[in-house]
Amino acid sequence: MSETAPVAAVRNITKRFPGVLANDAVTLDFHAGEVHVLLGENGAGKSTLIGILAGMLQPDEGEVLVAGAPVKIRSPRHSLGLGIGTVFQHVLLVPSLAVIENLMLGGPWWQRLASGAALKRFRELSALLGVEIDPRAQVGRLSLGEQQQVEIMRALWRGEKVLILDEPTSMLTPQGVHDLGEVMKRLRDKGVALILITHKLMEAYAFGDRISVLR
């Protein structure tokens, strides 16, 4: 386990909803080159914490740190700009568009005219992840495992600091789970900090370098 300064951290994060204390003073560190598993049953507050890191929710108390500096993550776009990519449980890609078109969504309006740069970035991420997908393939024709690989590419599109995977195996075949494990190993070995959300003990032990339990 890494003893270096964390790439990202949460300090005393508390989040309340009407009648529910979702996160109660949660403090965690996330290190480069490590798979940090957040393990807990449904309702343990895992998704709430991830929503805060992804810029979808604001904490009532506590703070988020990136590279040691406190930040208020204002939006999902801001989260991505800080190098925090999130792959949610359900696929959010546009099935009628090509892989490369999905990856370019949300960028500047002129980015479509510079698809050569996008294809270069696609090839870099394909090599990093060790996957082979046709960038011109229609997303709706890909397997669920391949769609998830594209989701991971999109999460890493602007940088490769922190990758959050929210219950990533829920829709995958055993082969898909194995392939995902290989992708996580490659990213970890390249120095990415991975946060894996799961309620499955076997996955936590199989993939995790560090495990934190939310109750």
Side-chain angles (χ1 to χ4, degrees), residues 36-70:
H36 191 142
V37 175
L38 296 186
L39 181 68
E41 298 178 1
N42 291 335
K46 304 186 302 296
S47 294
T48 298
L49 187 64
I50 293 316
I52 291 170
L53 286 169
M56 300 175 70
L57 297 169
Q58 295 298 321
D60 297 320
E61 299 169 22
E63 62 182 4
V64 177
L65 291 87
V66 175

Side-chain angles (χ1 to χ4, degrees), residues 98-105 115 118-119 122 134-137 157:
V99 169
I100 194 66
E101 291 172 329
N102 269 276
L103 295 174
M104 294 169 69
L105 284 176
S115 60
L119 287 170
F122 175 85
D134 181 357
R136 303 297 181 185
W157 194 249

Side-chain angles (χ1 to χ4, degrees), residues 28-39:
L28 295 168
D29 291 339
F30 305 109
H31 292 273
E34 182 176 275
V35 179
H36 191 142
V37 175
L38 296 186
L39 181 68

Side-chain angles (χ1 to χ4, degrees), residues 16-21:
R16 301 177 183 87
F17 298 100
V20 177
L21 179 59

